[in-house]
Amino acid sequence: MMGVYRDPFCTLKETLRLFSRYPSVASNVRRLWFDGFHVSETSAYIFEILRHCNNLRSITVPSIALRHGTAEDWSLLLGQRSGFGGISSLELLAVDLKESQRSSTANQVDHGALNQRSVDFSCLTRLKIFGDTNFVPVVDEDLRKMARTATNLQELHITGMSSVTIDSVMALVKSSKDTLRVLEYSPVSKDGFEHPESTTVESDGHLCSILTSCLRLENLSITLPSTCSDIFSSDAVKWKGEVQIRTAKLCEPKQNLARSLDAQDHFWRMLNQARSLMASRQSEDNDLHIEIFISHWIFEPRRNVVHGNFELGEVLSDFTWPTAKTMSGKGPYGQTGLYGPGKDEGPYSYVSEEAFREGLQRSYISL
C-alpha cells in the first residue's frame, strides 16, 4: 500500500488562496486562531493571511511569531497602518518544539520587532500569553518592551509559563492601571504548580499597593512572592467575583509564618479583613469570593475553612486531631487534583479555621 503525501502547510496555503481570491470573505473575518505552526515558513504564511483581514479584531498565534514577524507585520496588525483597523485581542501560545525544529537554521530568525517604535500595543485591550516552550520563550524583556505602549489593557492573562517573573508582569499592570479590569498571573515550574522565589520589583512601587491602586480592577488571580497583611483593608477596590491570591509569605512582619506568633496574628487579621471586604461588596450588590493560598493551604475566609492535606497532622496527634474534617475537591492552587510527585499526595480535606489554629498551636501542622 502506497503512502499518500500530505502537505503539512496545506491548510495555511488553502486559507491564503481563499482570502486572496475573495477579499470580501477576508474583510469579514473578525477572529483567527493558528495552532501547531512553529517554523519560520509557517509564520510567513500566517502573516500573509493576516494582511488580507483588514477588520480582524482577535488573533491567537504561536509565541514564536514575536520573533518571526517583522516590525511591518506587527505594526500592521496593531493598527499602525492605514486601511487596517488593528486587533484588540492578542493571544500568544507557547509549546515545546521538536529537536529538528529547534536546530533548524531556517528557524533561527528574530527580526527584533519589539525593538521598533512602530510596533505599538496601545490598541490592545486584551493580552494573553500561555504555556512554556523550550525554544526562544517570551521573557521579561519582551513584556517590558510591550509595557512601553500597552497602556489600554483591560484584560491581562499570563499563565502556565515559567520564563517571566512578577517584575515584568507588574510593568504591564502599571502601564494599564487606569484601564485594567481582569488580571491573571499563574506561573508554573517543571514540577507543577509552585510558589515562586521571592523577588524585588525593579520598577518603583510596592506590589500590593500597585494592585490596590488599579481602581477599575475587578477580577484578580495572582501569584505574589509576598503579600501585605492589609491588602484587603481598602474599600476603594472594585474586586468582585472570585479573587485568588497565591503567596509564599507576608510582606510585614518579615518573620517566618511557621515560627512567629506575631506573623500569624497578622495573617488572621488579613482573613478578618477579607471577610469585611466581602461583606462590604455584598452590601453594594457585588458578590466577592476570596481565596488565599499559602504554604500548600487554601483558605476560604467566607466559609471559615481551610483546605489541605492533614494526614501528617493526624499521625502526629495520634489521630486525635482534627475532630472533624470533610473531603474537598480542591488541590494546590484551587485545581482539582494534585501536581508534582511526592507533594501533598493524597486527597485534600477541609477543616474549620478554629481547628486549623489548634493544629498550629499544638505543632501538628505549620504554615
Side-chain angles (χ1 to χ4, degrees), residues 24 46 87 91 114 165 203 208 217 258 277 287 305 326 334 345:
S24 60
I46 288 172
I87 58 173
E91 294 185 359
L114 293 180
T165 69
S203 54
C208 303
L217 187 62
L277 180 60
D287 189 47
V305 299
T326 306
E345 290 181 351

Side-chain angles (χ1 to χ4, degrees), residues 94-308:
V95 298
D96 284 340
L97 302 190
K98 299 176 182 177
E99 172 60 30
S100 59
Q101 294 174 318
R102 300 198 306 271
S103 59
S104 170
T105 303
N107 217 22
Q108 311 294 319
V109 176
D110 186 352
H111 291 293
L114 293 180
N115 296 323
Q116 305 303 315
R117 291 192 177 187
S118 60
V119 179
D120 187 319
F121 292 89
S122 60
C123 69
L124 284 187
T125 58
R126 182 176 183 272
L127 174 62
K128 179 177 181 178
I129 308 175
F130 175 79
D132 256 337
T133 180
N134 54 8
F135 185 68
V136 287
V138 175
V139 295
D140 281 338
E141 189 60 25
D142 297 320
L143 296 194
R144 292 191 189 97
K145 290 173 181 176
M146 291 181 182
R148 291 198 294 250
T149 55
T151 55
N152 295 300
L153 292 178
Q154 296 179 23
E155 294 187 29
L156 175 60
H157 306 265
I158 310 291
T159 64
M161 60 191 304
S162 59
S163 57
V164 300
T165 69
I166 189 68
D167 293 337
S168 59
V169 174
M170 295 309 288
L172 280 167
V173 171
K174 288 187 69 176
S175 293
S176 294
K177 71 183 184 68
D178 294 330
T179 57
L180 197 63
R181 294 186 300 101
V182 179
L183 173 58
E184 180 183 15
Y185 171 55
S186 304
V188 300
S189 71
K190 292 179 181 178
D191 292 330
F193 289 79
E194 295 249 314
H195 296 298
E197 293 297 322
S198 297
T199 185
T200 301
V201 178
E202 296 178 0
S203 54
D204 294 335
H206 186 72
L207 290 174
C208 303
S209 60
I210 293 172
L211 289 175
T212 55
S213 69
C214 297
L215 298 183
R216 291 181 181 269
L217 187 62
E218 296 177 350
N219 300 106
L220 175 65
S221 176
I222 192 167
T223 300
L224 298 170
S226 61
T227 305
C228 287
S229 58
D230 64 352
I231 191 169
F232 302 115
S233 63
S234 173
D235 284 334
V237 296
K238 303 298 182 184
W239 299 346
K240 63 182 181 180
E242 285 198 6
V243 167
Q244 297 183 336
I245 294 182
R246 298 169 290 276
T247 189
K249 59 184 180 180
L250 298 182
C251 300
E252 295 290 345
K254 295 187 179 297
Q255 296 98 321
N256 192 310
L257 265 173
R259 302 183 182 91
S260 169
L261 292 178
D262 184 39
Q264 290 177 17
D265 285 342
H266 277 75
F267 183 70
W268 304 130
R269 195 177 308 141
M270 182 170 85
L271 293 181
N272 287 331
Q273 288 176 345
R275 279 185 274 271
S276 296
L277 180 60
M278 285 186 284
S280 173
R281 298 298 288 146
Q282 190 168 22
S283 69
E284 300 169 357
D285 294 327
N286 288 303
D287 189 47
L288 172 62
H289 184 75
I290 295 173
E291 291 184 336
I292 303 166
F293 305 71
I294 187 167
S295 300
H296 304 293
W297 305 112
I298 305 173
F299 291 82
E300 276 194 276
R302 170 174 286 180
R303 298 174 60 198
N304 294 86
V305 299
V306 186
H307 302 257

